[in-house]
Amino acid sequence: MSMIQIENVSKWYGDFQVLTDCSTHVTEGEVVVVCGPSGSGKSTLIRCVNGLEAIQQGRIVVNGTALADPTTNLSKLRAHVGMVFQNFELFPHMSVTDNLTIAQIKVLGRSTAEALARGLAMLDRVGLKAQASKFPGALSGGQQQRVAIARALAMDPICMLFDEPTSALDPEMVNEVLDVMVELATEGMTMMCVTHEMGFARKVADRVIFMDHGRIVEDASKDDFFGTPRAERAQLFLSKILQH
Amino acid sequence: MSYNWNWDIFLSPTPSGESTYLGWLLDGLQWTLTLSLGAWIMALVLGIGLGVLRTVPNRLLAGSAAAYVEVFRNVPLLVQLFIWYFVLPELLPTTLGDALKQTDPLAQQFFAALLCLGCFTAARVCEQVRAGIASLPRGQRNAGLALGLTLPQTYRYVLLPMALRLILPPLTSEFLNVFKNSAVASTIGLIELSRQSQQLVDYTAQAYEAFIAVTVLYVLINVLVMFGMRLLERRTRVPGYIGSK
Amino acid sequence: MEEFDWTSIPGALPILADGMLITLEITATAILIGILWGTVLALARLSGNRPLAWLAAAYVNLFRAVPLVMVILWFYLIVPTLLQRWFGVSQSSDIRMISALVAFALFESAYYAEIIRAGVQSVPKGQVDAAFALGMPYHLTMRLVVLPQAFRNMVPLLLTQAIILFQDTSLVYVIGLADFFGAAYKVGDRDGRLVELLLFAGAVYFILCFGASLLVWQLQKKYST
């Protein structure tokens, strides 16, 4: 079953077209990695999936719900789509615990005790149980990003979106975050990840999408993509990235 | 509404017959503009001087400029005005004070208001100038001195030209404040705009017309100043620096 | 140069204290209503709703273009008429205090609205995205995520504005209300000791405001680390 369906999506900022006729899909349990040079529109595409950005043409359906449908309650849909941001975006004025529970309580209507139990379980899962009472500012970047993942997981999402989750991190912290993501992937979470981490893609991705200038130029299984990418730009991009 | 609107009131002659009520308003406008512009020039000169003093590497000079700012910032404008108007003549030597009291009352009111507004606004300009200079990279001062410029030359040719450009937007709002603050001069009897609106109410009882007309004039001043300052900002813009989009 | 004579001040202290009470009453009311109504105005200005944003902008810009003295006079003109029409309050009863309270509250709202708007805009957009992504609707996002951070950033500015407001209340002099300054002026006028009373009033304002700004400064230092 298709969890995320993206059909002929185009988007403009004023006169500037950022997405051109993008179509793809993510089926349940699938891990899809989206890569491409900066400015290729990959972050914009993933932000469209939960409606953080509006699209002007095409259709996006998440778990059977069309985003553009006027009867769709976007907030309700987003509550079940986890998202992890490049800059973590933990709420700095709340403790880690409050970050984990606030949306569970205010959006899902869970009791404080229930939310706390769920939140702490997820915090334990990302290996940060000891940090529960700290504030985000007291944590390292890698720790903050793991809390952000736990915060999204505590909402019991049907799928997870990752928008360059490791690009704001110091190199030594990248792996602690990737480890959590790999674990999630192997457990069968449906994931769409914008990332340059090709090691991660090789390890767990089912498919790799390559974007350039707002278009999807390559959408292939992992083996095809790393074996023989057809698009010239993708080959060039890969050769640059894999040299590192 | 039982109120009788009568916009023609502005064209009727005043009791003394020398002018119309519109003429009164325009007189008031003239005083407001003269007072505000005069005070602004004074505030710029004094404020830039004080702002520079606050940043020079000399404890005594920087400290006295800071003390000036605190005094003028922490006493209400109205109290300052009354002190300039009622108290200052008493503090001067008796002969000078008495001579001052003999002069034309309008002149007394005007100069008290001018000194008051000028000194008050200078404290605010000083703070903006200090912030502007502080926001420049430290290397600028060193580069100036390293080129062999003296400290005053460094300020004159390197620091101030850039700092003043940077603080143009906050200076604009200080400039607007001068016009608004000039209304306080009405309390000592200077017949500027807001005083004239009260006079009109006293003489004609057409309060709404008078207040609306004066309010519109203040809004117009506001719009004109903003427009003018935006032009200035555009003309003094430095490529590649804040404000040059 | 005359000799100073401070003897009329001790006896006038009760009157001056009554005046200070009025000053504080106006200041507190204007801060409270100003922040509440100012928040509404700021959110309206930032909302995607064009007519609403335009109305809020017009309100803020109008109040910020007109001298406070004119605003006080305006409300002294309007409030009695409205009170009479709506509540049947007689025009002759003393409504100076009410009209001053209304004038200051509505006037300060315009200034607070601008501070709050800047505060809201200082919160990174990613925070809004994150709240949205967690399924929070607009009002929850504002209440739980944006406004708490915005107010934390704004505390020094809000307090500084409160100090300015405290000083500005002296302008109720134009409608003859005996706040602290009005009381001092009246006593000075009555006893022929205007010079002393004005200097005394200035000193009191200075001590209070300078003390308060030192506190704000301390607070700022503590929070900025």
Side-chain angles (χ1 to χ4, degrees):
Chain A
M1 183 199 148
S2 197
M3 180 68 80
I4 301 170
Q5 191 105 30
I6 299 173
E7 297 168 7
N8 309 105
V9 166
S10 294
K11 175 177 176 62
W12 289 262
Y13 288 129
D15 287 337
F16 180 69
Q17 185 158 14
V18 274
L19 294 177
T20 309
D21 201 27
C22 296
S23 296
T24 188
H25 62 93
V26 181
T27 50
E28 201 173 335
E30 204 176 17
V31 176
V32 173
V33 164
V34 184
C35 60
S38 62
S40 61
K42 51 194 193 306
S43 279
T44 307
L45 183 67
I46 203 171
R47 288 163 58 82
C48 290
V49 172
N50 64 352
L52 287 179
E53 304 268 359
I55 56 173
Q56 280 81 43
Q57 254 175 44
R59 214 165 90 94
I60 295 178
V61 183
V62 177
N63 196 30
T65 311
L67 255 58
D69 189 332
T71 62
T72 298
N73 183 335
L74 260 187
S75 298
K76 221 168 176 175
L77 179 76
R78 286 171 180 151
H80 299 288
V81 177
M83 182 152 191
V84 176
F85 297 86
Q86 181 175 358
N87 292 311
F88 333 132
E89 303 299 354
L90 292 176
F91 303 135
H93 59 300
M94 298 180 192
S95 67
V96 166
T97 311
D98 288 340
N99 263 285
L100 292 165
T101 56
I102 184 92
Q104 293 187 65
I105 296 168
K106 299 288 181 180
V107 176
L108 299 180
R110 288 178 180 163
S111 72
T112 313
E114 198 184 345
L116 191 61
R118 183 78 188 138
L120 289 181
M122 290 303 113
L123 194 60
D124 193 22
R125 191 174 164 177
V126 299
L128 291 171
K129 205 171 184 181
Q131 320 291 338
S133 58
K134 290 197 177 157
F135 277 76
L139 303 180
S140 73
Q143 289 175 324
Q144 288 192 50
Q145 193 61 299
R146 281 147 69 197
V147 172
I149 295 174
R151 177 173 74 175
L153 291 175
M155 301 290 283
D156 295 318
I158 52 175
C159 64
M160 289 281 286
L161 307 174
F162 290 84
D163 184 5
E164 306 207 30
T166 55
S167 22
L169 293 175
D170 291 335
E172 71 270 22
M173 293 173 184
V174 169
N175 280 329
E176 58 183 277
V177 171
L178 286 180
D179 289 346
V180 172
M181 290 170 64
V182 168
E183 200 183 311
L184 264 182
T186 46
E187 282 169 18
M189 173 63 78
T190 311
M191 292 163 66
M192 186 167 173
C193 315
V194 172
T195 181
H196 288 160
E197 297 295 336
M198 287 303 125
F200 171 78
R202 273 182 200 282
K203 205 181 279 178
V204 293
D206 296 299
R207 282 189 9 253
V208 180
I209 291 172
F210 177 78
M211 290 185 71
D212 193 26
H213 290 112
R215 290 175 196 274
I216 293 179
V217 286
E218 180 92 50
D219 183 346
S221 75
K222 172 177 64 180
D223 296 335
D224 283 350
F225 184 82
F226 288 111
T228 51
R230 285 149 291 181
E232 200 180 317
R233 284 284 294 168
Q235 275 173 1
L236 198 68
F237 177 77
L238 265 184
S239 69
K240 270 188 190 156
I241 273 209
L242 294 179
Q243 273 168 12
H244 292 260
Chain B
M1 204 163 164
S2 55
Y3 186 77
N4 281 320
W5 289 95
N6 178 16
W7 288 100
D8 291 340
I9 190 72
F10 291 115
L11 299 177
S12 355
T14 54
S16 62
E18 290 161 4
S19 171
T20 57
Y21 288 110
L22 181 66
W24 274 15
L25 273 192
L26 295 180
D27 275 353
L29 180 65
Q30 209 178 336
W31 279 111
T32 292
L33 294 177
T34 315
L35 173 60
S36 306
L37 292 174
W40 180 239
I41 292 168
M42 186 179 152
L44 275 184
V45 173
L46 191 56
I48 292 174
L50 286 164
V52 167
L53 283 190
R54 284 212 66 176
T55 60
V56 294
N58 178 316
R59 272 262 179 102
L60 186 70
L61 290 177
S64 9
Y68 176 95
V69 170
E70 291 309 331
V71 168
F72 282 89
R73 224 174 27 177
N74 286 308
V75 175
L77 181 60
L78 181 63
V79 180
Q80 292 186 30
L81 179 62
F82 276 42
I83 290 177
W84 283 108
Y85 187 61
F86 291 112
V87 179
L88 188 70
E90 307 296 337
L91 298 184
L92 294 170
T94 318
T95 43
L96 192 62
D98 285 349
L100 205 65
K101 284 182 230 168
Q102 296 302 313
T103 52
D104 179 13
L106 188 60
Q108 284 181 47
Q109 292 157 1
F110 179 77
F111 284 109
L114 182 72
L115 287 171
C116 169
L117 261 185
C119 291
F120 176 84
T121 310
R124 310 180 59 104
V125 172
C126 165
E127 280 307 277
Q128 303 292 356
V129 171
R130 182 190 62 83
I133 294 174
S135 73
L136 296 176
R138 264 204 79 76
Q140 292 281 303
R141 180 191 299 252
N142 294 337
L145 295 173
L147 282 171
L149 297 177
T150 61
L151 189 63
Q153 283 174 324
T154 306
Y155 272 99
R156 165 71 184 80
Y157 296 108
V158 181
L159 299 177
L160 277 179
M162 207 57 218
L164 289 179
R165 281 182 173 85
L166 286 179
I167 60 169
L168 264 185
L171 278 188
T172 303
S173 79
E174 289 307 334
F175 192 21
L176 292 171
N177 282 338
V178 176
F179 287 98
K180 288 184 274 177
N181 287 334
S182 71
V184 173
S186 65
T187 56
I188 55 169
L190 184 70
I191 43 168
E192 43 65 78
L193 259 184
S194 56
R195 182 72 177 194
Q196 292 290 25
S197 73
Q198 286 162 274
Q199 293 240 70
L200 247 73
V201 176
D202 289 343
Y203 279 80
T204 68
Q206 299 300 129
Y208 284 93
E209 290 88 338
F211 279 13
I212 289 172
V214 168
T215 302
V216 166
L217 285 175
Y218 276 117
V219 172
L220 265 180
I221 293 176
N222 215 60
V223 171
L224 283 178
V225 170
M226 278 211 269
F227 185 74
M229 289 302 275
R230 210 161 288 171
L231 276 184
L232 186 65
E233 265 173 58
R234 210 165 302 162
R235 288 198 47 177
T236 58
R237 185 177 294 171
V238 174
Y241 224 84
I242 312 164
S244 59
K245 282 177 197 162
Chain C
M1 195 163 142
E2 280 180 62
E3 288 296 311
F4 285 117
D5 175 8
W6 303 96
T7 47
S8 62
I9 291 177
L13 284 178
I15 305 178
L16 294 174
D18 282 348
M20 185 53 86
L21 221 56
I22 291 187
T23 296
L24 291 174
E25 221 174 297
I26 298 175
T27 308
T29 311
I31 291 176
L32 203 71
I33 299 180
I35 291 182
L36 289 177
W37 181 224
T39 307
V40 173
L41 287 168
L43 291 182
R45 251 194 118 163
L46 292 168
S47 77
N49 185 324
R50 278 271 180 86
L52 198 64
W54 190 88
L55 273 178
Y59 177 102
V60 169
N61 288 331
L62 179 62
F63 271 97
R64 289 172 63 96
V66 180
L68 180 52
V69 169
M70 280 309 295
V71 174
I72 295 171
L73 291 173
W74 258 116
F75 281 92
Y76 190 47
L77 175 69
I78 296 173
V79 170
T81 320
L82 290 183
L83 279 181
Q84 191 192 25
R85 182 124 40 93
W86 292 347
F87 306 108
V89 178
S90 131
Q91 289 251 26
S92 58
S93 66
D94 188 19
I95 36 64
R96 282 179 298 189
M97 186 64 181
I98 300 174
S99 65
L101 287 174
V102 174
F104 272 93
L106 295 184
F107 179 81
E108 284 303 314
S109 312
Y111 284 79
Y112 277 121
E114 284 301 273
I115 295 175
I116 294 165
R117 185 167 71 116
V120 168
Q121 285 175 325
S122 75
V123 177
K125 200 185 162 291
Q127 289 284 303
V128 178
D129 286 341
F132 280 169
L134 283 168
M136 292 187 194
Y138 183 79
H139 67 96
L140 276 185
T141 302
M142 280 295 156
R143 208 185 74 208
L144 299 175
V145 177
V146 177
L147 287 178
Q149 293 186 56
F151 273 102
R152 200 161 295 211
N153 297 343
M154 286 178 314
V155 165
L157 274 180
L158 290 175
L159 291 176
T160 305
Q161 181 63 28
I163 295 173
I164 295 173
L165 164 61
F166 174 74
Q167 297 183 23
D168 280 349
T169 52
S170 58
L171 289 174
V172 295
Y173 172 85
V174 298
I175 56 172
L177 200 55
D179 71 322
F180 176 68
F181 175 74
Y185 183 83
K186 268 182 194 158
V187 171
D189 206 31
R190 183 195 67 192
D191 299 350
R193 288 280 153 233
L194 197 52
V195 170
E196 288 82 354
L197 264 294
L198 286 176
L199 288 175
F200 175 73
V204 170
Y205 275 112
F206 177 78
I207 291 166
L208 291 177
C209 295
F210 184 58
S213 51
L214 283 183
L215 281 179
V216 174
W217 193 65
Q218 288 274 325
L219 203 76
Q220 219 167 349
K221 243 182 26 183
K222 203 172 127 194
Y223 272 91
S224 64
T225 45

